[in-house]
Amino acid sequence: SHVHKVIIPAGINHGQRMTYHGEGNCGTEGGSPGNLIILINVKQHKYFKRKDNDIYMDLPLSFVTAAIGGEIDVPTLDGNMRYTIPEGTESGTLFRIKGKGIKYLKREMYGDLYFTVNVETPRNLTSSQKELLKTFNTTLSKTQEPKQKKFYE
């Protein structure tokens, strides 16, 4: 058996082939060796989904940050990155960070990272937390919850 080290280039896609001419098995009856063909199988990631050179992910967002805005940590291929969420962000909002996706094969270009925020409703609230929210709710005007206002009209 023969071990052949290969370098997998950044940006290679699932299903692509890498061919090494003359590195396969010996030919029959003294013929020249065949080719070594490597079929790339890219493993799925737990959080990131790849589409061409862009990456998509879902990101849980706290109820408070969605309401008042603030900085969050967004995981990227190079580690976490600070990102400012605007106030009044709805669940399902899609954000883009340019250049934080997958490298283009044989080019110095990168795709983008897209993340969809999913606002998390707090659970197991204490009685004092519930009272704070009830008090807060009495201060809201109908224009601060326009979807409800429109629905009930």
Side-chain angles (χ1 to χ4, degrees):
S1 107
H2 179 89
V3 175
H4 192 87
K5 284 192 175 192
V6 296
I7 295 173
I8 306 296
I12 199 159
N13 271 308
H14 181 81
Q16 281 188 290
R17 296 171 188 259
M18 296 175 60
T19 303
Y20 292 87
H21 298 284
E23 297 291 338
N25 289 333
C26 292
T28 56
E29 298 180 23
S32 59
N35 297 335
L36 170 64
I37 299 173
I38 298 170
L39 178 63
I40 301 300
N41 184 7
V42 178
K43 185 179 173 186
Q44 292 287 328
H45 191 272
K46 188 175 180 180
Y47 301 112
F48 298 123
K49 301 278 181 264
R50 180 178 178 179
K51 185 176 178 189
D52 299 322
N53 291 77
D54 295 329
I55 298 173
Y56 291 82
M57 67 175 295
D58 291 328
L59 196 93
L61 185 66
S62 81
F63 170 76
V64 173
T65 303
I68 67 173
E71 282 197 344
I72 62 167
D73 283 325
V74 177
T76 72
L77 297 176
D78 320 320
N80 285 352
M81 178 180 170
R82 298 296 283 167
Y83 191 89
T84 302
I85 299 291
E87 71 175 61
T89 293
E90 297 277 348
S91 198
T93 302
L94 181 69
F95 293 94
R96 177 175 100 175
I97 302 175
K98 292 182 86 161
K100 286 295 181 183
I102 304 285
K103 184 181 182 299
Y104 280 77
L105 191 61
K106 299 177 184 172
R107 291 166 64 192
E108 282 306 312
M109 288 177 55
Y110 291 82
D112 299 330
L113 170 67
Y114 292 89
F115 65 95
T116 303
V117 293
N118 296 309
V119 178
E120 189 169 22
T121 304
R123 297 180 182 165
N124 304 318
L125 298 174
T126 65
S127 54
S128 63
Q129 289 171 323
K130 289 177 187 176
E131 287 306 313
L132 284 168
L133 282 177
K134 285 178 188 175
T135 303
F136 167 74
N137 197 43
T138 63
T139 69
L140 290 176
S141 70
K142 294 290 183 203
T143 59
Q144 290 176 296
E145 295 175 313
K147 288 181 184 174
Q148 284 186 55
K149 179 179 185 282
K150 187 174 181 180
F151 178 81
Y152 287 109
E153 286 174 350

